[in-house]
Amino acid sequence: MEHSGDHRYDAGTGPDAGAADGAAPAARRGLTRKNLLKAAVAAVPLPLLMGSVALARDAKPVNGELEPTPYCDDGDEPTIPQMEGPYFKPNSPLRSSLVDAGTQGTRLTVSGYVFGLTCQPIANALLDFWQADVNGAYDNVGFRFRGHQFTDSRGAFKLSTIVPGLYPGRTRHIHVKVQAPNQPILTTQLYFPGEPRNNTDTIFDPRLLMNVRNVGTAKEATFDFVLRVRGQQPTGQPTGQPTQPGGTWAAGTAYRQGDQVTYNGVSYQCIQAHTAQPGWEPPSAPSLWRAA
């Protein structure tokens, strides 16, 4: 990644993460360019397109209805960022499994794909995961429940972990940083449907809900990331960057809680320490900034 002390890309070093599982649901979408691209990623034979595409985001939970999270579509908005929080550590180990035979907790597999805005899969994208253990504690000394991996040639990833425990003030969640090669970092969080604390957690955003189903005593979850990749623009959108409004806010600046900035003529106060990234401008990041 592009922040200090973290992982760097080497062409061709991303290990295959494996394809995401997911049975095709009943037909509900037509044959579009988006579905053709998805089919190529998922390696679905063309005759099956008239039904649906076996993509992670298309999977439905078997134990209850869930409002679908946004799937990749031409012109779709990128996956939204969320705050890093206080527990991130750089230099996590390269691994796709965070569990061993003695690990306590409900086993969880998270799989999916990483796309650009045009629905093109992104190979060798870096995903760095970290989460609490079954008791809601983060390992701030070692690297338990921390690890990074790379998407395979189809843009697919797969993580083996446990359902994280709860701790005061937050609902159940998994942290992740996602970065296409030589591109900006997306820092965000993934959430579980049906959690009582989803209604009280001020950071929770339903756009980051995973699709989750029970498989025996374990759980399987899916989520697809859509990244704003330089050089990839959705159909009909300009390729130039918008003009930055005037103000003191600046991407790349490390802000502390209580810092004040101006953006487009409005004053804002930082409510969560973070390093500013494009897309985290104060009006777009209410979890990081509030109007002063």
Side-chain angles (χ1 to χ4, degrees):
M1 289 187 180
E2 295 172 352
H3 48 81
S4 175
D6 214 335
H7 320 288
R8 295 187 301 170
Y9 286 98
D10 291 314
T13 59
D16 286 353
D21 296 331
R28 61 181 183 274
R29 300 194 184 102
L31 184 61
T32 64
R33 188 169 77 89
K34 173 203 70 181
N35 280 352
L36 285 170
L37 287 167
K38 284 182 171 184
V41 172
V44 175
L46 186 60
L48 296 183
L49 280 173
M50 301 312 294
S52 61
V53 178
L55 189 66
R57 190 58 56 82
D58 290 328
K60 283 285 190 179
V62 296
N63 54 324
E65 287 296 319
L66 169 66
E67 181 178 349
T69 46
Y71 56 87
C72 183
D73 198 353
D74 294 346
D76 194 15
E77 290 297 313
T79 303
I80 63 168
Q82 285 208 326
M83 66 179 63
E84 178 181 284
Y87 301 119
F88 173 72
K89 287 179 61 177
N91 300 319
S92 67
L94 174 63
R95 59 186 178 187
S96 59
S97 177
L98 308 183
V99 299
D100 55 37
T103 300
Q104 296 183 343
T106 300
R107 295 297 192 266
L108 170 69
T109 300
V110 182
S111 58
Y113 297 87
V114 178
F115 292 105
L117 289 176
T118 58
C119 281
Q120 294 291 338
I122 300 177
N124 290 325
L126 173 61
L127 300 102
D128 198 347
F129 294 96
W130 71 103
Q131 66 171 79
D133 64 16
V134 69
N135 297 312
Y138 287 84
D139 181 5
N140 297 316
V141 177
F143 289 94
R144 293 182 65 247
F145 296 109
R146 300 175 184 270
H148 72 275
Q149 61 178 275
F150 296 86
T151 56
D152 66 14
S153 60
R154 301 171 304 154
F157 71 91
K158 188 173 184 179
L159 174 72
S160 297
T161 182
I162 64 166
V163 175
L166 293 167
Y167 58 90
R170 292 302 316 277
T171 191
R172 216 177 296 275
H173 63 281
I174 297 174
H175 293 271
V176 59
K177 289 179 180 284
V178 189
Q179 184 185 25
N182 303 310
Q183 298 286 337
I185 303 163
L186 167 70
T187 301
T188 193
Q189 302 181 35
L190 301 180
Y191 295 101
F192 294 78
E195 289 288 329
R197 292 192 185 183
N198 288 351
N199 297 323
T200 58
D201 190 325
T202 59
I203 303 173
F204 169 78
D205 193 306
R207 290 172 292 178
L208 297 171
L209 278 169
M210 298 182 288
N211 291 314
V212 180
R213 66 172 184 163
N214 295 322
V215 181
T217 59
K219 293 182 181 291
E220 291 182 351
T222 59
F223 191 89
D224 298 335
F225 296 94
V226 180
L227 303 184
R228 188 185 300 278
V229 178
R230 290 190 296 262
Q232 274 194 19
Q233 292 292 332
T235 304
Q237 299 232 350
T239 57
Q241 294 297 318
T243 302
Q244 171 70 38
T248 59
W249 181 91
T253 303
Y255 290 107
R256 298 170 298 179
Q257 185 176 4
D259 286 350
Q260 293 198 345
V261 299
T262 58
Y263 185 88
N264 204 19
V266 179
S267 296
Y268 294 89
Q269 184 178 50
C270 178
I271 58 177
Q272 170 68 39
H274 67 284
T275 299
Q277 302 285 343
W280 292 10
E281 295 83 357
S284 303
S287 61
L288 302 177
W289 299 97
R290 67 180 171 214

